Amino acid sequence: MSQFDAVDARWLERTVELATLNIANGGGPFGALIVRDGALVAEGYNRVTADLDPTAHAEVVAIRAACKAEQSFSLVGATLYTSCEPCPLCLAAALWARVDRMVFAADRHDAARGGFDDLEFYDLFARDRSTWQIPVVSLRIPQSPAPFDAWLAHEARTEY
């Protein structure tokens, strides 16, 4: 194991510890950390059932906490460590947060074995939308581009 892998393994051990402890607190078996320059910025654990929030995944909770701690919506230069492969929601959140890398322990097959939909969602996103059980419909109206035109015209906008 390289020194880099050993450092990653230590952070992953903490995510697994958070995930395991969270079960006793009414949450799901997921934990996540945001680390920058070798220092912990924020921790997160699954709060979906505890908070009645389907977006309160461990990675999202950690990203939100890290952004608050750093007073920024960008986590460039940070690593997201997570006890399980990020689901599509968490993967998208990490991409929007601009983390430099993601490192995970268990994978989508482990999550499926535990009764979670990660694998099913990955499979769904790989299929054509016309085959989905829930319709996703685009309806173009004349005003569709108006918010983006206003955004582009707004000189004080914050780029992201």
Side-chain angles (χ1 to χ4, degrees), residues 4 8 11 33-37 39 41-42 75-82 99-103:
F4 192 61
D8 287 342
W11 289 118
L33 308 173
I34 301 292
V35 174
R36 181 194 305 278
D37 299 325
V41 177
L75 296 175
V76 169
T79 297
L80 168 63
Y81 289 97
T82 181
V99 298
D100 279 16
R101 61 193 287 261
M102 293 175 249
V103 182

Side-chain angles (χ1 to χ4, degrees), residues 139-155:
L139 178 59
R140 207 72 191 155
I141 60 174
Q143 302 88 342
S144 292
F148 298 102
D149 295 338
W151 171 256
L152 291 170
H154 185 64
E155 291 181 19

